[in-house]
Amino acid sequence: MLTVGATLPLGATQAGAADNRKEPPTKPESQAIAAIHDAMRAQDCTLAASRLNEALKRKYPSAYLLAGTMYEQGVCLKPDWDRAATLYQQATAAGEPQGRLRLVAGLAAGNRDRAAAMYWALEDAGLRLPAECEAGRELRADPDAYVAQLRKWPAGRLDACVYVAGVVSAIAGEIEYPSMGMAYSIYGNYRMSFNPSAATVEWTEQELRLGDMVGVSSGDNVRDRDSGLVRQTLRRELEETSQRTLRRFTRPADVPTGWRFQQDFAFHIVG
């Protein structure tokens, strides 16, 4: 199974990683999702919708996640945020952590629902946002009390916290193992450093390994894997995702300059 994993360093949020699922995707589930993507690439939305409905009937976690994304982005389906949000919650309940991440990002984008964004961002007890954003965490079991607590926050704090939660959730929820990295069996660990007040994300390579290539490989393929283009494929995926995310979210004016956020990501193959 090919996955993008994540570790949790200094106060990091839980990352969106397939290997954090309660159960890994089964072969039929993986094949069903691949078939939907094939139909979308062929621009056959009727077939894509039909295959999606079948996957949803089988209650595949990945199908809930994909359906939510399709409704949110209006891909082969009429844009409908409410349906997308429901599907992301179903994905989360089914054990797919990217469901919560994409839900938080969607709620935070454009300040669609700031209170709900924070509520879902704090669903995971392992999430450690800046201390100011943690106020009221103990009230999360009582949504009304939690929202009342948010109303007491100083002006600007909620916008700043929603911005941080949205950016880190969107990055973690959208990173994918690039096909070139899979093909050449490239493994890597990278640390994300997010400076919210400057709206910058930097990536530090902590480890890069080349695993055994599966199947028949020519000498040219092995040499290609050692090229800078191939070796940088993981970093490019991370940088492109973070830059796309920073363009998606508007930085508020009152983000404290001292806030920092770190998270480690690991690209690896598990059996």
Side-chain angles (χ1 to χ4, degrees):
M1 178 179 66
L2 297 170
T3 68
V4 180
T7 55
L8 306 179
L10 308 173
T13 181
Q14 183 176 0
D19 57 336
N20 281 339
R21 283 179 52 164
K22 296 175 182 177
E23 296 292 341
T26 62
K27 185 175 181 179
E29 178 181 350
S30 298
Q31 291 175 334
I33 300 304
I36 298 168
H37 282 292
D38 288 343
M40 289 193 293
R41 279 191 290 269
Q43 298 184 344
D44 189 338
C45 287
T46 300
L47 180 59
S50 175
R51 290 175 173 175
L52 177 64
N53 285 333
E54 182 60 32
L56 290 172
K57 288 179 182 177
R58 297 181 181 276
K59 299 183 179 180
Y60 291 144
S62 298
Y64 293 130
L65 184 69
L66 178 56
T69 302
M70 292 168 68
Y71 272 114
E72 181 178 7
Q73 299 180 0
V75 178
C76 281
L77 298 170
K78 183 179 180 180
D80 187 330
W81 168 250
D82 289 339
R83 295 193 71 175
T86 296
L87 287 157
Y88 287 150
Q89 291 179 54
Q90 289 177 299
T92 302
E96 175 52 80
Q98 282 186 308
R100 177 182 57 80
L101 293 165
R102 295 191 188 185
L103 176 63
V104 172
L107 290 166
N111 286 324
R112 179 179 272 128
D113 189 329
R114 297 180 301 165
M118 292 306 301
Y119 176 86
W120 283 101
L122 299 185
E123 179 189 28
D124 182 354
L127 174 64
R128 286 295 176 264
L129 291 171
E132 295 91 330
C133 304
E134 294 282 323
R137 172 189 280 274
E138 71 282 359
L139 300 174
R140 189 185 173 279
D142 184 341
D144 290 337
Y146 180 67
V147 171
Q149 170 70 19
L150 295 182
R151 293 195 180 109
K152 298 177 183 178
W153 284 8
R157 181 195 292 180
L158 182 56
D159 285 342
C161 291
V162 169
Y163 173 69
V164 175
V167 169
V168 298
S169 295
I171 291 175
E174 294 181 14
I175 287 174
E176 297 180 353
Y177 207 137
S179 57
M180 186 180 292
M182 296 180 189
Y184 288 94
S185 296
I186 300 175
Y187 303 74
N189 295 330
Y190 293 83
R191 173 162 295 174
M192 178 185 76
S193 297
F194 175 38
N195 180 344
S197 65
T200 59
V201 173
E202 296 181 354
W203 295 95
T204 303
E205 181 181 296
Q206 297 181 301
E207 180 185 25
L208 186 68
R209 294 185 294 114
L210 304 178
D212 295 332
M213 295 180 67
V214 179
V216 179
S217 300
S218 68
D220 288 341
N221 285 341
V222 174
R223 285 190 293 274
D224 287 344
R225 189 173 66 160
D226 291 331
S227 72
L229 176 65
V230 173
R231 293 177 69 91
Q232 291 299 311
T233 185
L234 303 183
R235 179 184 287 276
R236 285 198 308 274
E237 167 66 20
L238 294 167
E239 291 178 344
E240 289 172 3
T241 300
S242 59
Q243 290 306 309
R244 184 172 62 249
T245 298
L246 290 173
R247 290 192 296 269
R248 179 183 178 188
F249 292 87
T250 300
R251 180 190 61 191
D254 298 324
V255 179
T257 57
W259 284 8
R260 294 293 185 275
F261 187 94
Q262 286 189 334
Q263 180 169 357
D264 287 356
F265 290 83
F267 291 87
H268 55 93
I269 301 173
V270 296

